[in-house]
Amino acid sequence: MKKTSTRLADGRELIYYDARDDAVRDAVDRRPLDPTVTTSEVRRDPLLGDSVAIASHRQGRTYHPPADECPLCPSQGERLSEIPDSSYDVVVFENRFPSLAGDSGRCEVVCFTSDHDASFASLTEEQAGLVLDAWTDRTAELSHLPSVEQVFCFENRGAEIGVTLGHPHGQIYAYPFTTPRTALMLRQLAAHKEATGGGNLFDAVLERELAGERVVLATEHWVAFVPYAAHWPYEVHLYPRRRVPDLLGLDEDARTEFPKVYLELLKRFDRIFGEGEPATPYISAWHQAPFGVLEEFEGVNRDDFALHLELFTIRRTSGKLKFLAGSESGMSVFINDVPPESAAQRLREVASS
């Protein structure tokens, strides 16, 4: 992999990740852009103890542009985009409309391919491996920023999820705090460790799932399963068999095998609801250990956390979505219409031939 860092016209960082070592990336951003101005502010909720990012400047962000005006496609002639070069493999750049900025963290956009009509599932294994390299590199780099405590790599896919740009891309949020969902995991991890005299909760969950009926896919280095208490109609958790706290901890064997496993899972998601259905909307989210001090979670350290990816769709059946209504939105109590065992069986049935 070759990494080339440059700057856009308004000062934001842009990084090319190329499969070829001889790639030359010297194109200049010719757009007359003013410096980016953000109003991002993180406010802590005194009742719930969580944090909310207030980012009013995002009201003016690009919204469903036509394909020939896509800001994530390469620049061509006088049609100038966020990527100055006329081609690219993988690109990461600072979001022009970030939810988090400055002392409140950082937001980046990850373009998986220059092909506007592609999807992550249509990438080759080499391309998917390059995206994994980019996620890993950005996790390492962002972890060194003084304002960053946790790095979150994710992809939103589909208009039903709220995606406003059709080009295949994901995002990276670098939070200045430990996110509420991760904090819940760490509390459960600490409680289990104390109750079992040092046992690891993630290891126990993986062992239980391997012995059960919800495994979707198991290889030498990765295991994918529908969790016992799945929140979403179709939800898969993907774990490396060897527990590591973050993407940086993956060994070469796990990194090499990941593209094949992940691409297979994405293809199965697109087959869940049968032929002729539109592409399945989903969220794909990497869970990594925070980089800050974990004093709040007594007895737990970074190495106790298990890197894993959570992939889920909000579609519950053909033509119907799972909405977060009163119980979910008002009380954070999920109600799942699809038994996890049935979801796992369906995801096994739609395996590639």
Side-chain angles (χ1 to χ4, degrees):
M1 179 190 77
K2 182 179 181 182
K3 175 183 175 183
T4 306
S5 180
T6 185
R7 291 283 171 179
L8 296 174
D10 55 8
R12 288 175 292 131
E13 185 178 18
L14 179 143
I15 306 162
Y16 294 96
Y17 293 90
D18 287 289
R20 292 176 48 180
D21 290 336
D22 59 353
V24 176
R25 300 298 184 185
D26 55 8
V28 176
D29 186 2
R30 295 181 284 127
R31 297 173 298 172
L33 297 180
D34 294 325
T36 301
V37 178
T38 64
T39 57
S40 179
E41 175 189 0
V42 174
R43 298 183 181 181
R44 190 165 179 82
D45 186 324
L47 293 181
L48 299 179
D50 59 8
S51 298
V52 177
I54 309 297
S56 60
H57 63 279
R58 285 175 53 78
Q59 286 280 31
R61 66 187 184 274
T62 308
Y63 187 80
H64 293 300
D68 61 356
E69 295 179 17
C70 174
L72 306 185
C73 287
S75 293
Q76 298 288 342
E78 294 306 308
R79 196 189 75 76
L80 307 178
S81 73
E82 290 280 66
I83 296 90
D85 214 325
S86 59
S87 67
Y88 65 85
D89 289 346
V90 175
V91 165
V92 177
F93 61 88
E94 289 184 77
N95 198 320
R96 191 176 178 185
F97 303 97
S99 302
L100 306 166
D103 293 339
S104 297
R106 175 158 159 153
C107 291
E108 298 182 341
V109 176
V110 184
C111 297
F112 304 139
T113 171
S114 59
D115 184 353
H116 182 85
D117 297 317
S119 67
F120 202 119
S122 70
L123 299 182
T124 65
E125 290 183 25
E126 182 183 33
Q127 289 173 310
L130 188 58
V131 176
L132 176 62
D133 289 341
W135 283 331
T136 305
D137 180 73
R138 296 316 300 153
T139 296
E141 293 292 326
L142 293 170
S143 71
H144 295 309
L145 296 180
S147 63
V148 172
E149 189 167 312
Q150 185 172 357
V151 179
F152 176 46
C153 308
F154 65 100
E155 180 193 3
N156 297 328
R157 204 276 285 267
E160 299 94 328
I161 297 292
V163 174
T164 57
L165 297 176
H167 196 102
H169 72 288
Q171 299 180 67
I172 301 175
Y173 277 21
Y175 296 102
F177 49 80
T178 297
T179 62
R181 187 173 176 83
T182 302
L184 287 173
M185 292 183 193
L186 291 169
R187 292 189 188 100
Q188 292 296 101
L189 187 61
H192 180 88
K193 192 172 186 178
E194 181 179 5
T196 59
N200 185 277
L201 178 59
F202 289 108
D203 292 350
V205 167
L206 187 55
E207 181 180 359
R208 173 186 180 180
E209 295 295 352
L210 279 168
E213 58 181 315
R214 290 179 295 275
V215 172
V216 173
L217 181 62
T219 64
E220 184 178 357
H221 302 287
W222 295 88
V223 178
F225 59 87
V226 178
Y228 170 72
H231 289 56
W232 299 93
Y234 290 91
E235 175 181 342
V236 173
H237 293 190
L238 178 62
Y239 278 68
R241 287 184 184 265
R242 184 177 70 87
R243 173 165 44 90
V244 294
D246 52 42
L247 289 166
L248 284 72
L250 290 175
D251 61 26
E252 196 58 35
D253 289 338
R255 298 182 67 82
T256 299
E257 194 180 64
F258 170 77
K260 182 177 182 179
V261 174
Y262 185 49
L263 291 173
E264 172 63 19
L265 286 177
L266 293 181
K267 290 170 184 175
R268 293 190 192 191
F269 257 60
D270 275 341
R271 297 191 191 103
I272 295 172
F273 303 105
E275 297 294 331
E277 286 290 319
T280 301
Y282 66 72
I283 292 175
S284 178
W286 280 109
H287 291 260
Q288 306 191 78
F291 288 95
V293 178
L294 302 182
E295 292 179 349
E296 178 185 347
F297 311 100
E298 189 174 351
V300 169
N301 56 56
R302 290 193 81 248
D303 290 336
D304 291 323
F305 195 87
L307 166 77
H308 62 284
L309 183 142
E310 297 185 6
L311 172 67
F312 59 89
T313 179
I314 62 171
R315 187 177 292 163
R316 57 187 174 88
T317 189
S318 180
K320 297 179 181 178
L321 301 181
K322 165 64 181 176
F323 293 102
L324 300 190
S327 186
E328 292 88 356
S329 295
M331 284 292 154
S332 294
V333 178
F334 276 69
I335 300 169
N336 188 354
D337 301 331
V338 180
E341 294 73 21
S342 299
Q345 180 178 349
R346 178 60 179 156
L347 286 163
R348 289 192 297 268
E349 291 173 348
V350 294
S352 296
S353 57

